[in-house]
Amino acid sequence: MNDLRTRLARLLVEKSYREGDFTLTSGRKSDYYFDCKQTALHAEGSWLIGSLFNDLLGDVPVVGVGGMTLGADPLISATTVISHERGRPLAGFIVRKQPKGHGTDQYVEGLANFAPGDPVAMLEDVVTTGGSLLKACERVEAAGLRIVAVCTVLDREEGGRQAIKAAGYDLISIFTRKELVDAARS
């Protein structure tokens, strides 16, 4: 797993990590920006992320993974494909920001692959305050699934882990910012 983490860290720093003056989704100012989609949509990056999320979820009893569109979409696809390759197929689901307004008018897509109460993991690309991840968790639970794991590629260590813990979940991250920078240099 360490070799995969090192390879992913180098790719994330090359493709997704930028230093400068940025405004985040939360409205906070930051001296760096992490655009995980650039790496998650890269062939090797997708494979590495899917492999590492499967490693993190190895002993967690889940039948599927999902998260908020658009950031989690490539993470979900990568994780489900790798899970099939490894002989532990996980279904995927996507949480919409708004219900689609027609058809079933639901927030969560992919529910035909699940039974009520099924244990699932939430995936996120980056956690800052945890706000959007917690909103997605509420929608998933309202749809009848049971969240047993919450995972992210990067924990910015800016209060998100604590907010997620206060909501009753533990955050599992592939990297914190320091770990990412350190791993990319190794």
Side-chain angles (χ1 to χ4, degrees), residues 16 33-42 70-72 74-75 125:
S16 299
Y33 184 69
F34 184 73
D35 183 2
C36 188
K37 288 181 287 305
Q38 302 308 313
T39 301
L41 293 169
H42 180 273
L70 178 73
L75 310 178
D125 53 358

Side-chain angles (χ1 to χ4, degrees), residues 105-125:
D105 198 36
Q106 59 192 7
Y107 277 108
V108 182
E109 296 294 341
L111 289 174
N113 298 311
F114 297 93
D118 272 351
V120 298
M122 296 295 290
L123 304 181
E124 180 70 286
D125 53 358

Side-chain angles (χ1 to χ4, degrees), residues 121-165:
M122 296 295 290
L123 304 181
E124 180 70 286
D125 53 358
V126 59
V127 170
T128 303
T129 65
S132 61
L133 180 56
L134 289 173
K135 183 176 287 190
C137 288
E138 289 173 13
R139 291 175 180 166
V140 168
E141 289 181 338
L145 300 177
R146 186 171 47 91
I147 299 167
V148 298
V150 177
C151 305
T152 188
V153 175
L154 179 71
D155 174 7
R156 290 179 59 102
E157 298 182 296
E158 295 183 23
R161 180 177 298 273
Q162 293 78 5
I164 291 164
K165 180 75 170 171

Side-chain angles (χ1 to χ4, degrees), residues 27-66:
R28 292 182 180 185
K29 297 288 187 186
S30 177
D31 63 348
Y32 76 99
Y33 184 69
F34 184 73
D35 183 2
C36 188
K37 288 181 287 305
Q38 302 308 313
T39 301
L41 293 169
H42 180 273
E44 182 183 14
S46 178
W47 182 84
L48 289 165
I49 289 169
S51 295
L52 287 165
F53 273 143
N54 272 278
D55 289 347
L56 290 177
L57 294 170
D59 294 330
V60 180
V62 295
V63 299
V65 296

